[in-house]
Amino acid sequence: MAKKYYITTPIYYPSGNWHIGHCYTTVICDALARFHKMKGEEVFFLTGTDEHGQKVEKEAAKRGITPRAFIDPLVAELKDMWRLLDVEYDRFLRTTDPDHVACVQHIYQKLYESGDIYKAEYEGYYCTPCEAFWTETQLKEGKCPDCGREVTLQKEESYFFRLSKYAPRLLRLYEEKPDFLRPRSRVNEMVNNFLKAGLSDLSVSRTTVKWGIPLPFDPKHTAYVWIDALSNYVSALGYGTKDDSLYRKFYPADLHMVGKEIVRFHAIIWPAILMALGEPLPEHIYGHGWLLIGGEKLSKSKENARPELTDPYALVKRYGADAVRYYLLREIPFGSDGEYTTERFLLRINADLSNDLGNLVSRTQAMIVQNFGALPPRGAEEGPDGDLIAMCEGLYARVDAAMGALNAPDALAEIFAVIDRANKYIDETTPWLLAKDPQKRARLGAVLYNLAEAVRICCELLRPFLPAATEKILKSFGCTAPTEPVFGVSKEGTPVEKLPPVFPRIDVKKELLEVEALCKNAQKAVPAPEKSTPAPQNAPEKKPEIAFEDFQKLELKVGEVVACEKVKKSEKLLHETVKIGDALRSVVSGIAKYYTPEEMVGKKVVVVTNLKPVKLCGVLSEGMILCAEDGEGNLSLVSPERLVASGATVR
Ligand code: ME8
């Protein structure tokens, strides 16, 4: 039977203003889930939204709408963000889902009946943004110790959970299972700051918050948001319902991945609740660090999350999901905080993805296509082959060990060490020289086979991190389904295709200037008018925004018109023969009113070369010549400003 793997992210507050820090937890979990799936394990990956509580109630009231009407679009946005980032979860749980509500009520009922929940009066300092109660001694200079904001003294009738009763068992847990919570520094914090200081019972119901789950034994009370939220880890699997087959299959969780500020809830309250319910504890909890800007946590409420710099939608649109995923998984030392800057982001993408991986892939493909057309046979080993092959052979085990330690940056470093080795191997074996000597064809084949295998193995192991790019690269090496990351399994004759750059190189200086300009413009921008103003008459229609990948689908080349004639039976059309590199193309364009055939000959033009060919007035057109149109409908050819050879790429 396949091993199971149950992994969870925290459930997100539906607050909007998503920033790249929010993506961190979920992207790591997605890479881990994909890695375990790749290992053949049966994976359940859970994420979702934490929708109840005073904050949502207040925001909705401010807008004069229901909490549900306030939340729904934000949840849709979050789901959209995960889709954009290629996050593949098995369930997206909303705490407003009826099965979750029923499960929370079941948990409260059970704890009430066992005597672990009792009624008393509560007095405490409440921080609304953090949804947390604090005692007077916990406050920092009279403010919330987590976020530093104002707290309000609240007194109300409340049900309490006997958390204090579980302190000794929790202490024992941390002694007996040192890796229950990781990294180690967080254990010290929990044990020394909380457990050894003694735990107070926890207030777990509110009468002042209406937007919450009513307690089954006293419906004027609603469930405390943290108990409601933590219960998602079992409600998602049908705990306490007639059909709890998923719960029995996947629970206990193998990993609850959370940000360090919410470790206390997961590492003390959640295990105590499970102990009280008589249910098994999760295997591991990991408290990761934060993405910082200027040394401070990147946070929507602190307003250091600038949309132009940190909005995941903008970043994915500009650089692609894989680039964002790669940055998060590689750059932040796991378990610690990491400073986020656009420059570091761009440099990392350029160095690793465009240069190291991109060059290896394109050089290997180009040489195979040029010299063999398909994968050459594996030859006898010589020179540096053994070293490259040995590195490839041991790679899976090294990546597996790093991922077992939840260390995605180390796993990626192992893969990129092989990519580096393979690039060095190209310099050592000089295949471009081998290609000049017909006597060395077999050796050339062997070198290229070894390179193709190195690319394949690295890309197979990169799949969980860069799902879109690796799929493209592997397909171009003829791998339409996952292959074993073992050296030598590829067959001679497997088709190989030359891809355009998967990660086009970014001009970092220019890009930084552009991003800076975007920030300045956004600062200057006046708020949008309430009602949309009608577009001025004759204004050109504004087309919808497209992603960079959409633009990349176009193939634009410089061509030289070598012959041109009027198309018979047409007033508008000219038929050009355009030389693009060494090839000639027949192109028909509607420019007869603006250029004579004689004027056209010798002109350098820009041609869209991957348009589907069509026949216009019976003449084949295999492309389109680009023209600029002035306001009156007159056309002018677009030509390169300096002398460039025909066949040059326009981008
Ligand atoms: O805490 N760097 O939800 P949330 C890294 N609803 N991670 C960050 C970050 C940053 N700058 N900013 C946010 C909640 N995160 C509760 C959880 S679970 C039963 C209830 C991470 O929307 C944060 O650490 O405030 C957390 O892991 C996730 O985003 C959701 O945070």
Side-chain angles (χ1 to χ4, degrees), residues 280-295:
L281 304 187
E283 288 297 332
H284 302 292
I285 296 167
Y286 195 97
H288 67 68
W290 291 333
L291 259 74
L292 311 176
I293 281 200

Side-chain angles (χ1 to χ4, degrees), residues 270-312:
W270 183 228
I273 299 274
L274 289 167
M275 285 172 183
L277 290 169
E279 296 298 327
L281 304 187
E283 288 297 332
H284 302 292
I285 296 167
Y286 195 97
H288 67 68
W290 291 333
L291 259 74
L292 311 176
I293 281 200
E296 271 202 64
K297 184 186 178 201
L298 178 55
S299 156
K300 58 194 177 244
S301 51
K302 287 193 182 139
E303 286 171 7
N304 56 4
R306 295 289 317 275
E308 303 73 32
L309 303 177
T310 59
D311 173 13

Side-chain angles (χ1 to χ4, degrees), residues 8-16 18-26 28 48-51 55 78 82 95 129-131 225-233 257-263 265-266 270 286 288-293 296-300 304 328 332 336-338:
T8 68
T9 72
I11 45 175
Y12 284 68
Y13 291 128
S15 47
W18 310 110
H19 56 70
I20 187 168
H22 283 123
C23 306
Y24 189 53
T25 326
T26 304
I28 296 170
T49 37
D50 186 355
E51 304 184 6
K55 205 160 37 173
L78 186 66
W82 299 148
T95 51
C130 295
E131 310 258 21
V225 279
W226 268 102
I227 305 294
D228 173 353
L230 289 162
S231 307
N232 94 92
Y233 300 131
M257 177 72 77
V258 302
K260 65 179 182 183
E261 79 283 15
I262 53 175
V263 163
F265 298 97
H266 286 81
W270 183 228
Y286 195 97
H288 67 68
W290 291 333
L291 259 74
L292 311 176
I293 281 200
E296 271 202 64
K297 184 186 178 201
L298 178 55
S299 156
K300 58 194 177 244
N304 56 4
L328 291 173
I332 317 295
S336 315
D337 295 343

